[in-house]
C-alpha cells in the first residue's frame, strides 16, 4: 500500500525525498511505480527497465550534486 504522502508529492518532490531518504524502500518503490507509469515508450526487457532507472537516478544525483555549493 502506498503512503498517502507520496501520492501528494509531484514526481520531482518524490525524487528529492528518495535522494534524501535513501533507506526508505516504500518511497523508492513509489517513485519507481510513478516513473514506470510515465514512460513514453514500452520497455520490453528487464535489462532495458533496469538501464532506464539507473540512468534516471544517475542524472538526478548529478543534478543534485551540481546544485550544491
Amino acid at each position: 500500500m502506498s503512503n498517502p504522502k507520496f501520492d501528494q508529492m509531484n514526481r520531482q518532490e518524490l525524487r528529492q525525498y528518495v535522494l534524501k531518504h535513501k533507506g526508505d524502500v516504500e518511497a523508492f518503490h513509489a517513485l519507481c511505480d510513478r516513473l514506470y507509469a510515465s514512460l513514453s515508450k514500452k520497455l520490453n526487457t528487464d535489462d532495458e527497465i533496469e538501464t532506464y532507472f539507473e540512468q534516471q537516478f544517475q542524472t538526478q544525483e548529478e543534478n543534485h550534486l551540481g546544485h550544491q555549493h
Side-chain angles (χ1 to χ4, degrees):
M1 173 177 258
S2 178
N3 188 322
K5 70 180 176 183
F6 302 141
D7 293 337
Q8 296 172 3
M9 295 179 186
N10 66 36
R11 191 169 67 185
Q12 184 62 31
E13 291 169 334
L14 185 53
R15 283 181 177 171
Q16 291 302 316
Y17 180 89
V18 168
L19 288 172
K20 289 181 181 178
H21 303 91
K22 293 183 180 187
D24 191 334
V25 175
E26 185 179 2
F28 175 76
H29 285 270
L31 180 58
C32 289
D33 290 344
R34 190 157 323 160
L35 289 173
Y36 187 78
S38 71
L39 291 175
S40 62
K41 68 174 188 170
K42 183 173 174 80
L43 300 176
N44 296 316
T45 68
D46 289 342
D47 287 340
E48 289 175 339
I49 294 169
E50 182 177 345
T51 299
Y52 173 81
F53 283 117
E54 286 173 355
Q55 291 170 346
Q56 292 297 311
F57 282 105
Q58 180 178 0
T59 299
Q60 285 301 310
E61 287 184 350
E62 289 170 357
N63 290 340
H64 180 71
L65 292 175
H67 289 104
Q68 291 181 344
H69 297 281

